[in-house]
Amino acid sequence: MTSLNAPAPWHTLDHETTLEHFSVVSAHGLSTAQAEQRLADHGPNELIERGAKSPWAILWEQVTAIMVVILIGAGLLSAVLGKWTEAIAILAIVVLFVALGFLQEYRAERAIAALKKLTVPLARVIRDGQMVELPARELVPGDVIALEAGNLVPADVRLLESASLRVQEAALTGESEPVDKAIAPIAAGDAPLGDRLNMAYRGTQVSHGRGRAVVVATGMQTELGRIADLIQDVRQGQTPLQRKLDQVGKLLAIVGTVVAVLILLIGVLRGESFQDMVLTAISVAVAVVPEGLPAVVTFTLALGAQRMLARNALIRKLPAVETLGSVTVICSDKTGTLTENRMTVTVVETAGEQVDLAHLERGQAVTPKARLVLLAGALANDAQLQRGPDGQTTFLGDPTEGALLVAAERAGIDPHAVQRALPRATELPFDSGRKRMTTVHDVRTANGATPPELAELTLGHTVPAYVAFVKGSVDGLLDCSTSVWDGTTRQPLTDEWRARINASNQRLAAAGQRVLGFAARAVATPTADPALETDLVFIGLVGMIDPPRPEARAAAAIAARAGIRPIMITGDHPLTARAIAQDLGITSDDRVVTGAELEKFSDAQLSTAVQTTSVFARVAPEHKLRIVAALQAQGHVVAMTGDGVNDAPALKQADIGVAMGITGTDVSKEAAAMVLRDDNFATIVAAVEEGRTIYDNVRRFVKFSLAGNVAKVLVMLLWPAVIALLSVPAAIDPVALRPLQLLWLNLMTDGLLGLGLGVELAERDVMRRPPVSPRAGIFSDGLGQHVAWLGLWIGALTLGVGLVYAALGRSEWQTMMFSTLAFAQIFQALGTRSIRDSFFRLAPLGNRLLIGMVGLVTALQLIVLYTPASEAFFGVQALAPIDLAVTIGLGAATLGVMEIEKALLRRRPARD
């Protein structure tokens, strides 16, 4: 492998030395043979995803879950005792739940890989002297590539040519404005990335001009790759729900062990077979553990993730879904998330008039003065208007220039026709020093099609050979202008006119608009002379803004009602940020903290600022990290949006990192827990709603499962004492339920019914209550009390029916207890559908899966009771219709007492 390492930092070398280093000629590029050898040496130009779990790692996580370990131990112990039926049944349950959990987790891990394959970027490369288009992954060091407006830079490159080339490097450096590029070497070897003007880096975008460059680094050797490598080394801790469920699992393991030992001792002391009592103790331990919990949690999270995907939120890290239910603050970028990421000209102001373009119908005529300004905007312009296959107008190039073309077309001006009729003769390109751009157009070629506004601009003289149009900052144009066009004559640019123009400029800027001024002059000879920008006629100005998304305003209001505080963090101008934030209802005051102010804040001052300020402007990505940390120090659960590589640390720091699917870099997506496919703030709020619903459903299952398990433990633990105290005939078995009966009940309830509860729809108040505190335990908000009293209720019903039938000498006493438990949990599942609302007020088919599972479990229970083979296998007896009705009636009574509890809850004040 030939070493292609730089003899010095690439930006310090002149471009001839760089080409010599790679043994390549700019005009010819690499040969096919050279490229193939270097591809073999350096590998494809793509980021390597090391963070993904292997299938074996996913399987190991499922198998080593605390509840699964308990089941495996119980199954192996049963096998050692020779109880192969029970051992096979237990291990079958293990295989079922582990397989389900594995499949859901595996699908989630592959989701991001599928996302990255949706787009395969191409690059224009010189190979064997020919310009060809190749997949960017095939680029190698030494390739000579062409860059033009709209291109993503496919690798780290040293520029060879630059024609007004500007690159948007916000993804890498955080610099909000495009950077003008040059080819001269940079002397400082340690110059920061943003100052390396002769370099362009993978993941950045060409916003203007064109150029040619040689590839100096690909794949993980690029600046983007180095950051990706660092991020993938970060290890994530457990989410709040994971910690809570882990605690529940350990608690139940202890409880199950204690209860099993008690039952074993009681049985042995009563003279029962040691082997039988060991098996019974194992069965009780299994009954205590909600075997379906890991599978139901995974199923619920995965299903929620699918629902989120339908709402344009891709969940990358499945367990983090539930964290959305606890979010208290959403820190959102402005551009593209709260706004449409589409600069739009909203107003044209000329001497004595203002034309509102925001509500202008397409093709509707505007006044001659406004038309002249829009014509100037269409001609002093390097963007290209395009018509998509769906008929929508799009553009290629700078967003500001694209907005001017769209505005001109909206006012009935055909930019293509005008540019053909008045071809550009020469130009003075935009640069950051002058802050303006001038184009000179040949009026002679118009063949009588000269727009009348141009003739009027000559004040009645003959039509000039050429006309120069200048656009730029209003302040700069006023310095270059000597007159102003009032629609009929050139008026001297007096102090009064200057004051009026400056007042319009300041008023629009204060409203958050970006303001551009336009001027013109007649030109005799087309030369690219700075003198073109003197003695100008000021013709007007335009205001443009990236408008708020219509749905973002409603989403911000929903978030506020849900106790979630939106905070805008943007690199844009403070006035623009404040105007958008006030329009969306994110803030009602004028308070804005800038990055420059934040830089000077101590941690204590920043802590105060994040409590009182909802808008941060001109913020660099490193400031985001401090803002997130300050909010988390106050106990907030923070969701943070980001799209650039340098946003990755803040995305990692946040409780929920949210990357942009459209504008986001691969590295930001790697760092995030969630990817917005539409870059929309409303999608974050919708995802929070889904997160809360998922958290409710997990708690719903825990409440359902544990109450049933408490009942089973009480029945097994108290039955021997009950029959002893009440002098039930000695022939009655002191073991209330057989091991296989307990396993069956757990499989039906924790498995099938539990899965049904995992897909329940959102509660009516899901977005009208405070976020879930991450410090709240799984048994908080009354769940523990509910589990206790309902478990006692079902246990008492079961013991009662068993006792009555045993006292009457009925041999079906055990079958009655078995069926009472089954039907009580069926009705319990129906009652658990809502926390506060009556079951009878819910949509009957609102949860079709649960209704289907109720039907399936009922049918399976009847098959067990009335099929001879299953009767023998489970040790049950067929019940007479009246006895079956008793068990169903007792089950319905469980729904009844749950309805009473909910009626009492509804009488309390609703949660704020």
Side-chain angles (χ1 to χ4, degrees):
M1 173 177 173
T2 304
S3 173
L4 296 176
N5 294 331
W10 294 116
H11 61 275
T12 64
L13 303 178
D14 58 52
H15 62 273
E16 294 91 350
T17 304
T18 305
L19 290 171
E20 288 175 9
H21 180 77
F22 287 107
S23 304
V24 64
V25 176
S26 175
H28 187 270
L30 295 175
S31 67
T32 301
Q34 282 178 303
E36 289 175 351
Q37 181 59 52
R38 292 185 186 184
L39 185 63
D41 290 342
H42 297 274
N45 177 35
E46 58 189 8
L47 301 184
I48 299 171
E49 185 179 358
R50 294 190 289 104
K53 295 179 191 172
S54 70
W56 289 111
I58 296 172
L59 182 62
W60 178 251
E61 282 188 4
Q62 297 294 323
V63 171
T64 54
I66 183 69
M67 294 178 225
V68 174
V69 169
I70 293 172
L71 288 177
I72 292 173
L76 293 175
L77 189 54
S78 299
V80 169
L81 294 174
K83 302 294 183 179
W84 292 104
T85 302
E86 287 79 0
I88 292 171
I90 293 172
L91 294 176
I93 293 173
V94 170
V95 170
L96 174 66
F97 288 141
V98 166
L100 179 60
F102 171 82
L103 289 174
Q104 298 294 354
E105 186 78 10
Y106 181 74
R107 287 173 184 165
E109 283 291 327
R110 300 312 304 158
I112 189 63
L115 179 73
K116 291 170 72 173
K117 291 177 182 176
L118 290 179
T119 57
V120 180
L122 299 173
R124 295 175 63 213
V125 191
I126 299 176
R127 292 271 179 92
D128 297 314
Q130 301 292 321
M131 183 70 73
V132 295
E133 203 167 59
L134 296 175
R137 71 184 304 276
E138 296 181 14
L139 289 181
V140 297
D143 263 327
V144 177
I145 65 171
L147 297 172
E148 59 187 27
N151 288 166
L152 279 175
V153 179
D156 287 2
V157 298
R158 170 65 165 88
L159 296 174
L160 306 174
E161 299 174 11
S162 173
S164 301
L165 186 68
R166 274 186 274 165
V167 178
Q168 176 56 265
E169 296 182 334
L172 195 63
T173 67
E175 173 63 45
S176 58
E177 293 296 322
V179 177
D180 293 301
K181 292 297 182 179
I183 63 172
I186 308 294
D190 59 351
L193 294 183
D195 293 342
R196 300 177 187 179
L197 302 182
N198 55 17
M199 299 288 294
Y201 295 98
R202 178 187 174 121
T204 59
Q205 187 167 23
V206 179
S207 63
H208 186 273
R210 57 184 174 78
R212 187 172 288 195
V214 59
V215 174
V216 297
T218 60
M220 297 301 285
Q221 299 305 309
T222 62
E223 293 295 332
L224 196 70
R226 291 192 183 97
I227 296 172
D229 197 42
L230 291 173
I231 291 171
Q232 290 181 131
D233 286 336
V234 176
R235 292 291 175 262
Q236 295 290 299
Q238 287 185 314
T239 68
L241 182 64
Q242 284 176 313
R243 289 193 294 270
K244 292 169 187 175
L245 294 180
D246 192 48
Q247 292 166 2
V248 169
K250 291 175 181 175
L251 175 64
L252 292 176
I254 295 170
V255 171
T257 302
V258 171
V259 172
V261 170
L262 282 175
I263 287 177
L264 177 62
L265 291 175
I266 291 170
V268 171
L269 291 174
R270 285 177 55 88
E272 303 297 331
S273 164
F274 177 78
Q275 190 175 22
D276 289 343
M277 290 315 300
V278 168
L279 186 60
T280 302
I282 291 172
S283 302
V284 172
V286 170
V288 171
V289 176
E291 297 91 345
L293 183 58
V296 168
V297 169
T298 303
F299 176 74
T300 302
L301 296 179
L303 201 66
Q306 290 176 11
R307 286 203 299 254
M308 289 184 189
L309 189 60
R311 299 173 79 168
N312 288 318
L314 172 68
I315 300 301
R316 288 198 64 247
K317 299 170 184 177
L318 196 59
V321 172
E322 52 83 21
T323 308
L324 285 163
S326 301
V327 166
T328 59
V329 176
I330 300 175
C331 294
S332 175
D333 190 14
K334 177 184 71 69
T335 305
T337 309
L338 292 167
T339 64
E340 296 181 4
N341 196 21
R342 178 179 56 84
M343 291 300 290
T344 303
V345 177
T346 60
V347 64
V348 178
E349 293 205 9
T350 58
E353 71 178 21
Q354 182 183 82
V355 178
D356 180 9
L357 296 187
H359 303 98
L360 188 74
E361 296 294 331
R362 183 175 296 280
Q364 182 178 339
V366 294
T367 65
K369 287 187 290 184
R371 183 178 174 86
L372 178 60
V373 173
L374 293 174
L375 184 72
L379 290 170
N381 201 308
D382 287 330
Q384 298 176 22
L385 210 58
Q386 298 177 328
R387 185 79 66 183
D390 57 356
Q392 292 292 317
T393 300
T394 59
F395 59 85
L396 182 65
D398 184 82
T400 298
E401 295 192 329
L404 292 170
L405 292 182
V406 172
E409 186 190 52
R410 196 175 190 83
I413 299 172
D414 183 345
H416 292 299
V418 169
Q419 290 165 359
R420 284 195 303 271
L422 303 172
R424 185 180 302 184
T426 188
E427 65 181 293
L428 289 174
F430 174 89
D431 70 49
S432 55
R434 291 170 26 252
K435 293 187 177 178
R436 55 183 174 267
M437 169 186 183
T438 299
T439 57
V440 180
H441 298 270
D442 189 344
V443 182
R444 300 169 304 172
T445 61
N447 298 322
T450 305
E453 293 85 350
L454 297 185
E456 291 172 8
L457 195 61
T458 66
L459 299 179
H461 297 303
T462 56
V463 175
Y466 300 92
V467 172
F469 285 110
V470 188
K471 75 173 180 194
S473 69
V474 174
D475 295 343
L477 287 188
L478 287 178
D479 291 340
C480 302
S481 300
T482 57
S483 58
V484 60
W485 180 248
D486 70 357
T488 57
T489 60
R490 293 175 58 165
Q491 298 283 346
L493 188 59
T494 63
D495 290 343
E496 181 182 355
W497 273 113
R498 288 180 184 276
R500 290 171 62 179
I501 294 169
N502 280 325
S504 294
N505 181 26
Q506 291 167 10
R507 176 171 44 79
L508 291 174
Q513 303 253 18
R514 181 177 183 188
V515 186
L516 278 178
F518 290 89
R521 63 167 289 178
V523 177
T525 305
T527 58
D529 189 325
L532 283 173
E533 296 176 348
T534 59
D535 194 26
L536 298 176
V537 182
F538 191 88
I539 59 176
L541 54 84
V542 301
M544 61 179 69
I545 198 167
D546 179 10
R549 288 179 179 265
E551 63 273 24
R553 188 176 294 105
I558 291 171
R561 284 199 302 271
I564 300 168
R565 180 181 164 213
I567 294 179
M568 178 192 290
I569 303 178
T570 178
D572 213 336
H573 193 281
L575 293 176
T576 305
R578 184 180 67 193
I580 295 293
Q582 290 176 338
D583 189 8
L584 293 174
I586 290 174
T587 185
S588 57
D589 56 40
D590 293 338
R591 173 73 170 150
V592 179
V593 171
T594 65
E597 294 172 312
L598 197 151
E599 192 73 42
K600 300 174 184 176
F601 282 173
S602 66
D603 289 344
Q605 290 173 314
L606 179 58
S607 179
T608 301
V610 297
Q611 294 180 57
T612 59
T613 306
S614 295
V615 182
F616 294 84
R618 289 293 191 229
V619 171
E622 57 268 23
H623 297 146
K624 290 185 176 183
L625 193 60
R626 287 191 67 197
I627 294 171
V628 172
L631 288 165
Q632 288 175 325
Q634 296 173 6
H636 287 290
V637 177
V638 183
M640 166 66 79
T641 69
D643 54 9
V645 173
N646 50 5
D647 287 332
L651 293 176
K652 279 285 188 182
Q653 175 72 31
D655 299 278
I656 289 287
V658 182
M660 303 296 107
I662 298 173
T663 60
T665 60
D666 282 349
V667 175
S668 67
K669 292 170 188 174
E670 287 293 337
M674 183 168 77
V675 178
L676 301 184
R677 298 204 303 172
D678 58 357
D679 293 9
N680 194 337
F681 177 79
T683 302
I684 306 175
V685 177
V688 168
E689 180 181 347
E690 288 290 351
R692 291 188 175 192
T693 302
I694 287 165
Y695 187 82
D696 282 350
N697 284 343
V698 171
R699 280 174 53 90
R700 194 172 276 120
F701 172 77
V702 169
K703 180 166 70 172
F704 165 75
S705 176
L706 293 188
N709 289 0
V710 166
K712 294 166 198 167
V713 169
L714 289 175
V715 167
M716 296 297 294
L717 192 59
L718 298 180
W719 178 249
V722 168
I723 61 174
L725 289 173
L726 299 181
S727 302
V728 173
I732 299 301
D733 192 337
V735 179
L737 295 170
R738 297 188 179 188
L740 284 177
Q741 292 172 353
L742 284 170
L743 291 172
W744 174 259
L745 289 172
N746 267 23
L747 180 61
M748 293 299 99
T749 56
D750 288 359
L752 300 180
L753 294 176
L755 290 177
L757 285 171
V759 299
E760 189 60 53
L761 300 179
E763 297 273 348
R764 287 187 302 167
D765 69 340
V766 69
M767 292 301 282
R768 295 197 301 271
R769 65 189 195 219
V772 177
S773 170
R775 292 183 291 274
I778 197 75
F779 296 108
S780 64
D781 200 22
L783 188 145
Q785 295 93 310
H786 175 91
V787 166
W789 81 255
L790 191 59
L792 285 170
W793 167 267
I794 297 174
L797 284 182
T798 305
L799 287 169
V801 74
L803 183 62
V804 169
Y805 273 71
L808 293 174
R810 298 281 297 273
S811 60
E812 308 98 315
W813 65 268
Q814 191 175 64
T815 304
M816 289 295 294
M817 295 175 76
F818 174 58
S819 291
T820 298
L821 271 172
F823 286 111
Q825 289 217 259
I826 288 172
F827 282 98
Q828 180 200 0
L830 296 175
T832 307
R833 284 189 60 192
S834 175
I835 298 169
R836 298 173 67 94
D837 292 335
S838 169
F839 166 75
F840 301 103
R841 295 185 61 185
L842 301 176
L845 298 179
N847 186 342
R848 297 189 179 188
L849 179 60
L850 178 62
I851 300 302
M853 290 300 184
V854 165
L856 177 60
V857 169
T858 301
L860 291 172
Q861 182 67 17
L862 294 176
I863 288 172
V864 168
L865 293 177
Y866 296 107
T867 303
S870 59
E871 287 178 27
F873 184 77
F874 287 99
V876 297
Q877 296 177 341
L879 296 177
I882 185 64
D883 297 325
L884 180 64
V886 168
T887 63
I888 294 174
L890 291 173
T894 299
L895 176 60
V897 296
M898 293 178 71
E899 287 296 309
I900 293 171
E901 179 197 34
K902 287 192 276 189
L904 294 173
L905 284 174
R906 288 195 297 272
R907 293 179 64 180
R908 299 178 189 171
R911 286 171 289 190
D912 295 330

